[in-house]
Amino acid sequence: MKLVIAIIKPFKLEDVRDALTSVGIHGMTVTEVKGYGRQKGHTEIYRGAEYAVHFLPKVRLEIAVPTDRVDKVIDAVTQSAKTGQIGDGKIFVTPIDRALRIRTGETDNDAL
């Protein structure tokens, strides 16, 4: 089992959700986060004053999947979240040692 973590632009969330549903992924955890990468923020004007925004709003997705479905998930996220502009995001894949569904006691792939 793997945990796919994707950091994407907030307005792409529904597109990514639809793409994941189309490849058979029906669950994920979504967190609103802030951060920056190479784009290092930007400046905005508010009430005539210019100020720097160092941390940009992003969405963090966590998707637990069986190992054999990781490539499909990565492809779905990449294709649906891509705008071609700087700040499209990142995808990280980490191993999951154990999973347990609390309600039923199912473990590992059955728990996903």
Side-chain angles (χ1 to χ4, degrees):
M1 297 175 299
K2 301 288 184 182
L3 180 64
V4 178
I5 301 168
I7 310 295
I8 63 169
K9 292 181 175 184
F11 68 90
K12 290 303 236 168
L13 178 58
E14 286 302 316
D15 294 340
V16 171
R17 181 184 159 278
D18 293 342
L20 289 171
T21 301
S22 73
V23 295
I25 301 300
H26 300 290
M28 73 172 107
T29 301
V30 178
T31 310
E32 292 180 6
V33 297
K34 291 184 179 187
Y36 70 93
R38 289 186 180 163
Q39 65 193 118
K40 295 184 176 53
H42 63 278
T43 58
E44 291 185 1
I45 297 177
Y46 179 72
R47 294 189 177 185
E50 186 174 303
Y51 66 97
V53 177
H54 297 290
F55 296 99
L56 301 171
K58 300 288 182 178
V59 175
R60 175 183 168 129
L61 309 176
E62 295 175 79
I63 310 144
V65 295
T67 303
D68 62 335
R69 305 194 69 196
V70 170
D71 290 335
K72 285 184 180 181
V73 168
I74 290 172
D75 290 343
V77 172
T78 301
Q79 291 174 10
S80 58
K82 184 176 183 177
T83 66
Q85 302 296 315
I86 191 167
D88 274 351
K90 297 269 191 298
I91 298 175
F92 306 99
V93 180
T94 62
I96 297 176
D97 294 329
R98 188 171 180 203
L100 176 89
R101 177 173 285 139
I102 295 172
R103 179 178 54 88
T104 62
E106 295 171 296
T107 59
D108 300 330
N109 282 341
D110 294 334
L112 301 180

